[in-house]
Coordinates of all heavy atoms in Angstrom, one line a residue:
M1 N 5.9 -0.2 -13.8 CA 4.9 -0.8 -12.8 C 4.9 -2.3 -13.0 O 4.7 -2.8 -14.2 CB 3.5 -0.1 -13.1 CG 2.6 -0.4 -11.9 SD 0.9 0.2 -12.3 CE 1.2 1.9 -12.7
E2 N 4.9 -3.0 -11.9 CA 4.7 -4.5 -12.1 C 3.3 -4.9 -12.2 O 2.3 -4.1 -12.0 CB 5.3 -5.1 -10.8 CG 6.7 -4.7 -10.4 CD 7.6 -5.7 -9.8 OE1 7.0 -6.6 -9.1 OE2 8.8 -5.6 -9.9
V3 N 3.2 -6.0 -12.8 CA 1.8 -6.6 -13.1 C 0.9 -6.5 -11.8 O -0.2 -6.1 -11.8 CB 1.9 -7.9 -13.7 CG1 0.4 -8.5 -13.9 CG2 2.6 -8.0 -15.1
S4 N 1.4 -7.0 -10.7 CA 0.6 -7.0 -9.5 C 0.2 -5.6 -8.9 O -0.9 -5.4 -8.5 CB 1.4 -7.8 -8.3 OG 2.6 -7.2 -8.1
A5 N 1.2 -4.7 -9.1 CA 0.8 -3.3 -8.7 C -0.2 -2.8 -9.7 O -1.1 -2.0 -9.2 CB 2.1 -2.4 -8.9
F6 N -0.2 -3.1 -10.9 CA -1.2 -2.6 -11.9 C -2.5 -3.2 -11.6 O -3.5 -2.5 -11.5 CB -0.8 -2.9 -13.4 CG -1.7 -2.4 -14.4 CD1 -1.7 -1.0 -14.7 CD2 -2.6 -3.3 -15.1 CE1 -2.7 -0.5 -15.6 CE2 -3.5 -2.8 -16.0 CZ -3.5 -1.4 -16.3
Q7 N -2.6 -4.5 -11.4 CA -3.8 -5.1 -11.0 C -4.4 -4.4 -9.7 O -5.6 -4.2 -9.7 CB -3.6 -6.6 -10.8 CG -5.0 -7.4 -10.7 CD -4.9 -8.8 -10.7 OE1 -3.9 -9.4 -10.9 NE2 -6.0 -9.6 -10.7
E8 N -3.6 -4.2 -8.7 CA -4.1 -3.6 -7.5 C -4.6 -2.1 -7.8 O -5.6 -1.7 -7.2 CB -3.0 -3.5 -6.4 CG -2.7 -4.9 -5.8 CD -1.4 -4.9 -5.0 OE1 -0.8 -3.9 -4.6 OE2 -0.8 -6.1 -4.8
L9 N -4.0 -1.5 -8.7 CA -4.3 0.0 -9.0 C -5.7 -0.1 -9.6 O -6.6 0.7 -9.3 CB -3.3 0.6 -10.0 CG -3.6 2.0 -10.5 CD1 -3.7 3.0 -9.5 CD2 -2.6 2.3 -11.6
I10 N -5.9 -1.0 -10.6 CA -7.1 -1.1 -11.3 C -8.2 -1.5 -10.3 O -9.4 -1.1 -10.4 CB -7.0 -2.1 -12.5 CG1 -6.1 -1.5 -13.6 CG2 -8.4 -2.3 -13.1 CD1 -6.5 -0.1 -14.1
E11 N -7.9 -2.4 -9.3 CA -8.9 -2.7 -8.3 C -9.3 -1.5 -7.5 O -10.5 -1.4 -7.3 CB -8.3 -3.8 -7.4 CG -8.2 -5.2 -7.9 CD -7.6 -6.3 -7.0 OE1 -7.3 -5.9 -5.8 OE2 -7.4 -7.3 -7.5
R12 N -8.4 -0.7 -7.2 CA -8.6 0.5 -6.4 C -9.6 1.4 -7.1 O -10.5 2.1 -6.6 CB -7.5 1.2 -5.9 CG -6.7 0.5 -4.7 CD -5.7 1.5 -4.0 NE -4.7 2.1 -4.8 CZ -3.6 1.5 -5.2 NH1 -3.3 0.3 -4.8 NH2 -2.8 2.2 -6.0
I13 N -9.3 1.6 -8.4 CA -10.2 2.4 -9.3 C -11.5 1.9 -9.6 O -12.5 2.6 -9.6 CB -9.4 2.8 -10.6 CG1 -8.0 3.5 -10.3 CG2 -10.2 3.8 -11.5 CD1 -7.1 3.7 -11.5
Y14 N -11.6 0.6 -10.0 CA -12.8 0.1 -10.6 C -13.5 -1.1 -10.0 O -14.5 -1.5 -10.3 CB -12.5 -0.3 -12.1 CG -12.1 0.8 -13.0 CD1 -10.8 0.8 -13.5 CD2 -13.0 1.8 -13.3 CE1 -10.4 1.8 -14.4 CE2 -12.6 2.9 -14.1 CZ -11.3 2.9 -14.7 OH -11.0 3.9 -15.5
L15 N -12.9 -1.8 -9.0 CA -13.4 -3.2 -8.6 C -14.7 -3.1 -8.1 O -15.5 -3.9 -8.4 CB -12.3 -3.8 -7.7 CG -12.7 -5.3 -7.5 CD1 -12.8 -6.2 -8.7 CD2 -11.8 -6.0 -6.4
T16 N -15.1 -2.1 -7.2 CA -16.4 -2.0 -6.6 C -17.4 -2.0 -7.8 O -18.4 -2.9 -7.7 CB -16.5 -0.8 -5.7 OG1 -15.5 -0.9 -4.7 CG2 -17.8 -0.7 -5.1
R17 N -17.3 -1.1 -8.7 CA -18.3 -0.9 -9.7 C -18.3 -2.2 -10.6 O -19.3 -2.7 -11.0 CB -17.8 0.3 -10.6 CG -19.0 0.7 -11.5 CD -18.7 2.0 -12.3 NE -17.6 1.7 -13.2 CZ -16.8 2.7 -13.8 NH1 -17.1 3.9 -13.7 NH2 -15.9 2.3 -14.6
D18 N -17.0 -2.6 -11.0 CA -17.0 -3.8 -11.9 C -17.6 -5.1 -11.3 O -18.1 -5.9 -12.0 CB -15.5 -4.1 -12.4 CG -15.1 -2.9 -13.4 OD1 -16.0 -2.1 -13.8 OD2 -13.9 -2.9 -13.7
S19 N -17.3 -5.2 -10.0 CA -17.9 -6.5 -9.2 C -19.4 -6.4 -9.3 O -20.0 -7.5 -9.5 CB -17.5 -6.5 -7.8 OG -16.1 -6.7 -7.8
K20 N -20.0 -5.2 -9.1 CA -21.5 -5.1 -9.3 C -21.9 -5.5 -10.6 O -23.0 -6.1 -10.7 CB -21.9 -3.7 -8.9 CG -21.9 -3.4 -7.4 CD -22.4 -2.0 -7.1 CE -22.0 -1.6 -5.7 NZ -21.9 -0.1 -5.5
R21 N -21.3 -5.1 -11.7 CA -21.6 -5.5 -13.0 C -21.5 -7.0 -13.2 O -22.3 -7.6 -14.0 CB -20.8 -4.7 -14.0 CG -21.2 -5.0 -15.5 CD -20.2 -4.4 -16.5 NE -19.9 -3.0 -16.3 CZ -18.7 -2.6 -15.9 NH1 -17.8 -3.4 -15.7 NH2 -18.5 -1.3 -15.8
G22 N -20.6 -7.6 -12.6 CA -20.4 -9.1 -12.7 C -19.4 -9.6 -13.8 O -19.1 -8.8 -14.7
L23 N -19.1 -10.8 -13.8 CA -18.1 -11.4 -14.7 C -18.6 -11.3 -16.2 O -17.9 -10.9 -17.0 CB -17.9 -12.8 -14.3 CG -16.7 -13.5 -14.8 CD1 -15.4 -12.8 -14.5 CD2 -16.5 -14.9 -14.4
A24 N -19.9 -11.7 -16.4 CA -20.4 -11.7 -17.8 C -20.5 -10.4 -18.4 O -20.0 -10.1 -19.5 CB -21.8 -12.4 -17.8
G25 N -21.0 -9.4 -17.7 CA -21.1 -8.0 -18.1 C -19.7 -7.4 -18.4 O -19.5 -6.7 -19.4
T26 N -18.8 -7.7 -17.5 CA -17.4 -7.1 -17.5 C -16.7 -7.8 -18.7 O -15.9 -7.1 -19.4 CB -16.6 -7.3 -16.2 OG1 -17.4 -6.6 -15.2 CG2 -15.4 -6.7 -16.2
H27 N -16.9 -9.0 -18.9 CA -16.3 -9.7 -20.1 C -16.8 -9.1 -21.3 O -16.0 -8.9 -22.2 CB -16.6 -11.2 -20.0 CG -16.0 -12.0 -21.1 ND1 -16.7 -12.2 -22.3 CD2 -14.8 -12.4 -21.3 CE1 -15.9 -12.9 -23.1 NE2 -14.6 -13.0 -22.5
M28 N -18.0 -8.7 -21.5 CA -18.6 -7.9 -22.7 C -17.8 -6.6 -22.9 O -17.4 -6.4 -24.1 CB -20.1 -7.7 -22.6 CG -20.8 -9.0 -22.8 SD -22.6 -8.7 -22.8 CE -22.8 -7.8 -24.4
W29 N -17.5 -5.9 -21.8 CA -16.7 -4.7 -22.0 C -15.3 -5.0 -22.4 O -14.8 -4.3 -23.3 CB -16.7 -3.9 -20.6 CG -17.9 -3.1 -20.4 CD1 -19.0 -3.4 -19.7 CD2 -18.1 -1.8 -20.9 NE1 -20.0 -2.4 -19.7 CE2 -19.4 -1.4 -20.4 CE3 -17.3 -0.9 -21.8 CZ2 -19.9 -0.1 -20.8 CZ3 -17.9 0.3 -22.1 CH2 -19.1 0.7 -21.6
F30 N -14.7 -6.1 -21.8 CA -13.4 -6.5 -22.2 C -13.3 -6.7 -23.7 O -12.4 -6.3 -24.5 CB -13.0 -7.7 -21.4 CG -11.7 -8.4 -22.0 CD1 -10.5 -7.8 -21.7 CD2 -11.8 -9.7 -22.6 CE1 -9.3 -8.4 -22.2 CE2 -10.6 -10.2 -23.0 CZ -9.4 -9.6 -22.8
C31 N -14.3 -7.4 -24.3 CA -14.4 -7.8 -25.7 C -14.6 -6.6 -26.5 O -13.9 -6.5 -27.6 CB -15.5 -8.8 -26.0 SG -15.2 -10.5 -25.3
E32 N -15.3 -5.6 -26.1 CA -15.5 -4.4 -26.8 C -14.2 -3.7 -26.9 O -13.8 -3.1 -28.0 CB -16.5 -3.5 -26.1 CG -16.8 -2.2 -26.8 CD -18.2 -1.7 -26.6 OE1 -19.1 -2.5 -26.3 OE2 -18.4 -0.5 -26.8
E33 N -13.4 -3.6 -25.8 CA -12.1 -3.0 -25.8 C -11.1 -3.7 -26.7 O -10.3 -3.0 -27.4 CB -11.5 -2.9 -24.4 CG -12.2 -1.9 -23.5 CD -12.1 -0.6 -24.1 OE1 -11.1 -0.2 -24.8 OE2 -12.9 0.4 -23.7
V34 N -11.2 -5.1 -26.8 CA -10.4 -5.8 -27.8 C -10.7 -5.4 -29.2 O -9.9 -5.2 -30.1 CB -10.5 -7.3 -27.5 CG1 -9.8 -8.1 -28.7 CG2 -10.0 -7.7 -26.2
G35 N -12.0 -5.1 -29.4 CA -12.4 -4.7 -30.7 C -11.9 -3.2 -31.1 O -11.5 -3.0 -32.2
E36 N -11.9 -2.5 -30.1 CA -11.2 -1.1 -30.3 C -9.8 -1.2 -30.5 O -9.2 -0.4 -31.3 CB -11.5 -0.2 -29.1 CG -13.0 0.2 -29.0 CD -13.3 1.1 -27.8 OE1 -12.3 1.6 -27.2 OE2 -14.5 1.2 -27.4
L37 N -9.1 -2.1 -29.8 CA -7.6 -2.3 -30.1 C -7.4 -2.8 -31.5 O -6.6 -2.4 -32.2 CB -7.0 -3.3 -29.1 CG -5.6 -3.8 -29.4 CD1 -4.7 -2.6 -29.3 CD2 -5.2 -4.9 -28.3
T38 N -8.4 -3.7 -32.1 CA -8.3 -4.2 -33.4 C -8.4 -3.1 -34.4 O -7.6 -3.0 -35.3 CB -9.4 -5.3 -33.7 OG1 -9.3 -6.4 -32.6 CG2 -9.2 -5.9 -35.1
R39 N -9.3 -2.2 -34.2 CA -9.5 -1.1 -35.1 C -8.3 -0.2 -35.0 O -7.8 0.3 -36.0 CB -10.8 -0.3 -34.8 CG -12.0 -0.9 -35.2 CD -13.2 -0.1 -35.0 NE -13.6 0.2 -33.6 CZ -14.3 -0.7 -33.0 NH1 -14.7 -1.8 -33.5 NH2 -14.7 -0.5 -31.7
A40 N -7.7 0.1 -33.9 CA -6.5 1.0 -33.7 C -5.3 0.3 -34.4 O -4.6 1.0 -35.1 CB -6.2 1.2 -32.3
L41 N -5.2 -1.0 -34.3 CA -4.1 -1.7 -35.0 C -4.2 -1.6 -36.5 O -3.2 -1.3 -37.3 CB -4.0 -3.2 -34.6 CG -3.5 -3.5 -33.2 CD1 -3.8 -4.9 -32.8 CD2 -2.0 -3.4 -33.2
R42 N -5.5 -1.7 -37.0 CA -5.7 -1.6 -38.5 C -5.3 -0.1 -38.9 O -4.9 0.0 -40.0 CB -7.1 -2.0 -38.8 CG -7.3 -2.9 -40.0 CD -8.7 -3.1 -40.3 NE -9.4 -4.0 -39.4 CZ -10.6 -4.0 -39.0 NH1 -11.4 -3.1 -39.5 NH2 -11.1 -4.8 -38.2
R43 N -5.7 0.9 -38.1 CA -5.5 2.3 -38.5 C -4.0 2.6 -38.4 O -3.5 3.5 -39.0 CB -6.3 3.2 -37.7 CG -7.8 3.3 -38.1 CD -8.5 4.4 -37.6 NE -8.7 4.4 -36.1 CZ -9.8 3.9 -35.5 NH1 -10.9 3.6 -36.3 NH2 -9.9 3.8 -34.2
G44 N -3.3 1.9 -37.4 CA -1.9 2.1 -37.2 C -1.5 3.5 -36.7 O -0.4 3.9 -36.9
K45 N -2.5 4.1 -35.9 CA -2.1 5.4 -35.4 C -1.4 5.1 -34.0 O -2.1 4.7 -33.0 CB -3.2 6.3 -35.2 CG -3.7 6.8 -36.6 CD -4.9 7.8 -36.4 CE -5.3 8.4 -37.8 NZ -6.6 9.1 -37.6
R46 N -0.2 5.5 -33.8 CA 0.6 5.3 -32.6 C -0.1 5.8 -31.3 O -0.1 5.1 -30.3 CB 1.9 5.9 -32.7 CG 2.9 5.6 -31.7 CD 3.8 4.5 -32.0 NE 4.0 3.7 -30.8 CZ 4.3 2.4 -30.8 NH1 4.2 1.7 -31.9 NH2 4.6 1.8 -29.7
D47 N -0.7 7.0 -31.4 CA -1.2 7.6 -30.1 C -2.5 6.8 -29.7 O -2.7 6.6 -28.5 CB -1.6 9.0 -30.4 CG -2.4 9.3 -31.5 OD1 -2.2 8.5 -32.6 OD2 -3.3 10.2 -31.6
E48 N -3.3 6.4 -30.6 CA -4.4 5.5 -30.4 C -4.1 4.2 -29.9 O -4.6 3.6 -28.9 CB -5.3 5.3 -31.7 CG -6.1 6.5 -32.1 CD -6.9 6.1 -33.4 OE1 -7.3 5.0 -33.5 OE2 -7.1 7.1 -34.2
L49 N -3.1 3.6 -30.4 CA -2.6 2.2 -30.1 C -2.2 2.1 -28.6 O -2.7 1.2 -27.9 CB -1.3 1.9 -31.0 CG -1.6 1.1 -32.2 CD1 -0.2 0.8 -32.8 CD2 -2.4 -0.2 -31.9
E50 N -1.5 3.0 -28.2 CA -1.0 3.0 -26.8 C -2.2 3.0 -25.8 O -2.2 2.2 -24.8 CB -0.1 4.1 -26.4 CG 1.3 3.9 -27.1 CD 2.3 4.9 -26.6 OE1 2.0 5.8 -25.8 OE2 3.5 4.9 -27.1
G51 N -3.2 3.9 -26.1 CA -4.4 3.9 -25.2 C -5.2 2.7 -25.2 O -5.7 2.3 -24.2
E52 N -5.3 2.1 -26.4 CA -6.2 0.8 -26.5 C -5.4 -0.3 -25.9 O -6.1 -1.2 -25.3 CB -6.4 0.5 -28.0 CG -7.3 1.7 -28.7 CD -8.6 1.9 -28.0 OE1 -9.1 1.0 -27.2 OE2 -9.2 3.0 -28.1
F53 N -4.1 -0.4 -26.0 CA -3.4 -1.5 -25.3 C -3.6 -1.3 -23.8 O -3.9 -2.3 -23.1 CB -1.9 -1.5 -25.7 CG -1.6 -2.3 -26.8 CD1 -1.2 -1.7 -28.0 CD2 -1.6 -3.7 -26.7 CE1 -0.8 -2.5 -29.1 CE2 -1.3 -4.5 -27.8 CZ -0.9 -3.9 -29.0
A54 N -3.4 -0.1 -23.3 CA -3.7 0.2 -21.8 C -5.1 -0.2 -21.5 O -5.3 -0.8 -20.3 CB -3.4 1.6 -21.5
D55 N -6.1 0.2 -22.3 CA -7.5 -0.2 -21.9 C -7.6 -1.8 -21.8 O -8.3 -2.2 -20.9 CB -8.5 0.3 -22.9 CG -8.6 1.8 -22.8 OD1 -8.2 2.5 -21.8 OD2 -9.1 2.5 -23.7
V56 N -7.2 -2.5 -22.8 CA -7.3 -3.9 -22.9 C -6.6 -4.5 -21.6 O -7.2 -5.4 -20.9 CB -6.8 -4.5 -24.1 CG1 -6.6 -6.1 -24.1 CG2 -7.7 -4.2 -25.4
L57 N -5.5 -4.0 -21.3 CA -4.8 -4.6 -20.1 C -5.6 -4.3 -18.8 O -5.7 -5.1 -17.9 CB -3.3 -3.9 -20.0 CG -2.4 -4.5 -19.0 CD1 -2.2 -6.0 -19.3 CD2 -1.1 -3.8 -19.0
A58 N -6.2 -3.1 -18.7 CA -7.0 -2.7 -17.6 C -8.2 -3.6 -17.4 O -8.5 -4.0 -16.4 CB -7.4 -1.3 -17.7
W59 N -8.9 -3.8 -18.5 CA -10.1 -4.7 -18.5 C -9.7 -6.1 -18.2 O -10.4 -6.8 -17.5 CB -10.9 -4.5 -19.8 CG -11.7 -3.3 -19.8 CD1 -11.4 -2.2 -20.5 CD2 -13.0 -3.0 -19.2 NE1 -12.4 -1.2 -20.3 CE2 -13.4 -1.7 -19.5 CE3 -13.8 -3.8 -18.4 CZ2 -14.5 -1.2 -19.0 CZ3 -14.9 -3.2 -17.9 CH2 -15.3 -2.0 -18.2
L60 N -8.6 -6.5 -18.8 CA -8.1 -7.9 -18.4 C -7.8 -8.0 -16.9 O -8.1 -9.1 -16.3 CB -6.9 -8.2 -19.2 CG -6.3 -9.6 -19.0 CD1 -7.2 -10.7 -19.5 CD2 -4.8 -9.8 -19.6
A61 N -7.2 -7.0 -16.3 CA -6.8 -7.1 -14.9 C -8.1 -7.1 -14.1 O -8.2 -7.8 -13.1 CB -6.0 -5.8 -14.6
T62 N -9.1 -6.2 -14.5 CA -10.3 -6.2 -13.6 C -11.0 -7.5 -13.7 O -11.6 -8.0 -12.7 CB -11.2 -4.9 -14.0 OG1 -12.0 -4.6 -12.8 CG2 -12.1 -5.2 -15.1
L63 N -11.1 -8.1 -14.9 CA -11.7 -9.4 -15.2 C -11.0 -10.5 -14.3 O -11.7 -11.4 -13.6 CB -11.6 -9.8 -16.6 CG -12.6 -10.5 -17.3 CD1 -14.1 -10.1 -17.0 CD2 -12.4 -10.6 -18.8
A64 N -9.7 -10.4 -14.2 CA -9.0 -11.4 -13.4 C -9.3 -11.2 -11.9 O -9.5 -12.2 -11.2 CB -7.4 -11.3 -13.6
S65 N -9.4 -10.0 -11.5 CA -9.8 -9.7 -10.0 C -11.1 -10.2 -9.7 O -11.3 -10.9 -8.7 CB -9.7 -8.1 -9.8 OG -8.4 -7.7 -10.0
I66 N -12.1 -10.0 -10.6 CA -13.5 -10.5 -10.4 C -13.5 -12.0 -10.4 O -14.2 -12.6 -9.6 CB -14.5 -10.0 -11.4 CG1 -14.6 -8.5 -11.3 CG2 -15.8 -10.7 -11.3 CD1 -15.4 -7.9 -12.5
A67 N -12.6 -12.7 -11.1 CA -12.6 -14.1 -11.2 C -11.6 -14.7 -10.1 O -11.5 -15.9 -10.0 CB -12.0 -14.6 -12.5
G68 N -11.0 -13.8 -9.3 CA -10.1 -14.2 -8.2 C -8.8 -14.8 -8.6 O -8.2 -15.6 -8.1
V69 N -8.3 -14.2 -9.8 CA -7.0 -14.6 -10.4 C -6.0 -13.6 -10.1 O -6.2 -12.4 -10.5 CB -7.2 -15.0 -11.9 CG1 -5.8 -15.2 -12.5 CG2 -8.1 -16.2 -12.0
D70 N -4.8 -13.9 -9.6 CA -3.7 -13.1 -9.4 C -2.9 -13.2 -10.8 O -2.3 -14.1 -11.0 CB -2.8 -13.5 -8.3 CG -1.6 -12.7 -8.1 OD1 -1.0 -12.2 -9.0 OD2 -1.1 -12.7 -6.9
L71 N -3.0 -12.1 -11.6 CA -2.4 -12.1 -12.9 C -0.9 -12.4 -12.9 O -0.4 -13.1 -13.7 CB -2.6 -10.7 -13.6 CG -3.9 -10.7 -14.6 CD1 -3.9 -9.3 -15.2 CD2 -3.9 -11.7 -15.6
E72 N -0.2 -11.7 -12.0 CA 1.2 -11.8 -12.0 C 1.6 -13.3 -11.6 O 2.5 -13.8 -12.2 CB 1.8 -10.8 -11.0 CG 3.4 -10.9 -11.1 CD 4.1 -9.7 -10.4 OE1 3.7 -8.6 -10.7 OE2 4.9 -9.9 -9.4
A73 N 1.0 -13.8 -10.6 CA 1.3 -15.1 -10.2 C 1.0 -16.1 -11.3 O 1.8 -17.1 -11.6 CB 0.5 -15.5 -8.9
A74 N -0.2 -16.0 -12.0 CA -0.6 -16.9 -13.0 C 0.4 -16.8 -14.3 O 0.8 -17.9 -14.7 CB -2.1 -16.5 -13.4
A75 N 0.7 -15.6 -14.6 CA 1.7 -15.4 -15.8 C 2.9 -16.0 -15.5 O 3.6 -16.6 -16.3 CB 1.7 -14.0 -16.2
T76 N 3.4 -15.7 -14.2 CA 4.7 -16.2 -13.8 C 4.8 -17.8 -13.8 O 5.7 -18.4 -14.4 CB 5.1 -15.7 -12.4 OG1 5.2 -14.3 -12.5 CG2 6.5 -16.2 -12.0
R77 N 3.7 -18.4 -13.2 CA 3.7 -19.9 -13.2 C 3.6 -20.4 -14.6 O 4.3 -21.4 -14.9 CB 2.3 -20.3 -12.4 CG 2.6 -20.9 -11.1 CD 1.3 -21.6 -10.5 NE 0.2 -20.7 -10.4 CZ 0.0 -19.8 -9.4 NH1 0.8 -19.8 -8.5 NH2 -1.2 -19.1 -9.4
K78 N 3.0 -19.8 -15.5 CA 2.9 -20.4 -16.9 C 4.0 -20.1 -17.8 O 4.4 -20.9 -18.6 CB 1.5 -19.9 -17.4 CG 1.3 -20.5 -18.8 CD -0.2 -20.8 -19.0 CE -0.5 -21.8 -20.2 NZ -1.8 -21.8 -20.5
Y79 N 4.7 -18.9 -17.7 CA 5.6 -18.5 -18.7 C 7.0 -18.3 -18.2 O 7.9 -18.1 -19.0 CB 5.1 -17.2 -19.3 CG 4.0 -17.5 -20.3 CD1 2.6 -17.3 -19.9 CD2 4.2 -18.2 -21.5 CE1 1.6 -17.6 -20.7 CE2 3.1 -18.5 -22.3 CZ 1.8 -18.2 -21.9 OH 0.7 -18.5 -22.7
A80 N 7.3 -18.2 -16.8 CA 8.6 -17.9 -16.4 C 9.7 -18.8 -16.9 O 10.8 -18.5 -17.1 CB 8.6 -17.9 -14.8
A81 N 9.3 -20.1 -17.2 CA 10.3 -21.2 -17.5 C 10.3 -21.3 -19.0 O 10.9 -22.2 -19.6 CB 10.0 -22.5 -16.9
G82 N 9.7 -20.3 -19.7 CA 9.7 -20.4 -21.2 C 8.4 -20.8 -21.7 O 7.4 -20.8 -21.1
C83 N 8.4 -21.2 -23.1 CA 7.1 -21.7 -23.7 C 6.5 -22.9 -22.9 O 7.3 -23.8 -22.5 CB 7.4 -22.1 -25.1 SG 6.1 -23.0 -25.9
P84 N 5.2 -22.8 -22.5 CA 4.7 -23.8 -21.6 C 4.7 -25.1 -22.3 O 4.6 -26.2 -21.6 CB 3.2 -23.3 -21.4 CG 3.2 -21.9 -21.6 CD 4.3 -21.7 -22.7
R85 N 4.7 -25.2 -23.7 CA 4.6 -26.5 -24.3 C 6.0 -27.1 -24.4 O 6.3 -28.3 -24.1 CB 4.1 -26.4 -25.7 CG 2.5 -26.3 -25.7 CD 1.9 -26.2 -27.1 NE 2.2 -27.4 -27.9 CZ 2.2 -27.4 -29.2 NH1 1.9 -26.3 -29.9 NH2 2.5 -28.5 -29.9
C86 N 7.0 -26.4 -25.0 CA 8.3 -26.9 -25.3 C 9.4 -26.5 -24.3 O 10.5 -27.0 -24.3 CB 8.7 -26.5 -26.7 SG 9.1 -24.7 -26.9
T87 N 9.0 -25.6 -23.4 CA 9.9 -25.1 -22.3 C 11.1 -24.3 -22.9 O 12.0 -23.9 -22.2 CB 10.4 -26.1 -21.3 OG1 11.3 -26.9 -22.0 CG2 9.2 -26.9 -20.7
K88 N 11.1 -24.0 -24.1 CA 12.2 -23.3 -24.8 C 12.0 -21.7 -24.8 O 10.8 -21.3 -24.9 CB 12.5 -23.7 -26.3 CG 12.9 -25.3 -26.3 CD 14.3 -25.5 -26.0 CE 14.7 -26.9 -26.3 NZ 14.7 -27.9 -25.2
T89 N 13.0 -21.0 -24.8 CA 13.0 -19.5 -25.0 C 14.1 -19.2 -26.0 O 15.3 -19.3 -25.6 CB 13.2 -18.8 -23.6 OG1 12.2 -19.2 -22.8 CG2 13.1 -17.3 -24.0
P90 N 13.8 -18.8 -27.2 CA 12.4 -18.7 -27.7 C 11.8 -19.9 -28.0 O 12.5 -21.0 -28.1 CB 12.7 -17.8 -29.1 CG 14.1 -18.2 -29.5 CD 14.8 -18.4 -28.2
C91 N 10.4 -19.9 -28.1 CA 9.7 -21.1 -28.4 C 10.1 -21.9 -29.6 O 10.6 -21.3 -30.7 CB 8.2 -20.7 -28.7 SG 7.1 -22.0 -29.3
A92 N 10.2 -23.3 -29.5 CA 10.7 -24.0 -30.7 C 9.5 -24.9 -31.3 O 9.7 -25.8 -32.0 CB 11.8 -24.9 -30.2
C93 N 8.3 -24.6 -30.8 CA 7.1 -25.4 -31.3 C 6.9 -24.9 -32.8 O 7.3 -23.9 -33.1 CB 5.9 -24.9 -30.6 SG 5.8 -25.4 -28.8
H94 N 6.3 -25.7 -33.5 CA 6.0 -25.4 -34.9 C 4.5 -25.3 -35.1 O 3.7 -26.1 -34.5 CB 6.5 -26.5 -35.9 CG 7.9 -26.8 -35.8 ND1 8.9 -26.0 -36.4 CD2 8.6 -27.7 -35.1 CE1 10.1 -26.5 -36.1 NE2 9.9 -27.5 -35.3
Ligands
ZN1 ZN1 7.1 -23.8 -27.7

């Protein structure tokens, strides 16, 4: 699934509810999910990890939608040409 298709899917599932909660409240949920990902990484359980990565991506996508950001366009603009600082792939910054 492409990033834009994923963002649209998450919009269809959650945007009405997440928009009502607003940017600040949704950001708190996003941070909570990042915390859950941190715990899953520490425990190193593969089945938990995949779910937590998916959750963080979903909350990032809904946050971007509420903020009016097209994630795929933003990521492409910033990273398609390589590292934004040194423009190399792989990055040659120190
Ligand atoms: Zn670099």
Side-chain angles (χ1 to χ4, degrees):
M1 193 185 304
E2 305 215 335
V3 174
S4 59
F6 182 73
Q7 188 170 359
E8 285 165 21
L9 173 66
I10 296 301
E11 285 179 3
R12 287 200 301 278
I13 302 173
Y14 296 116
L15 189 60
T16 303
R17 193 178 67 194
D18 289 351
S19 292
K20 283 183 192 150
R21 185 189 306 109
L23 197 57
T26 303
H27 182 262
M28 285 183 71
W29 276 98
F30 169 72
C31 290
E32 182 150 335
E33 287 299 334
V34 172
E36 288 179 16
L37 174 61
T38 304
R39 282 189 290 280
L41 283 166
R42 222 183 289 145
R43 284 194 291 263
K45 289 186 181 168
R46 186 94 217 149
D47 53 328
E48 283 179 32
L49 266 183
E50 289 186 3
E52 295 304 338
F53 271 108
D55 288 344
V56 168
L57 192 60
W59 281 101
L60 181 69
T62 207
L63 211 47
S65 295
I66 295 170
V69 170
D70 178 332
L71 264 186
E72 184 165 304
T76 300
R77 252 193 302 281
K78 187 146 191 184
Y79 290 99
C83 170
R85 281 181 64 203
C86 69
T87 71
K88 301 277 191 263
T89 301
C91 168
C93 298
H94 303 280

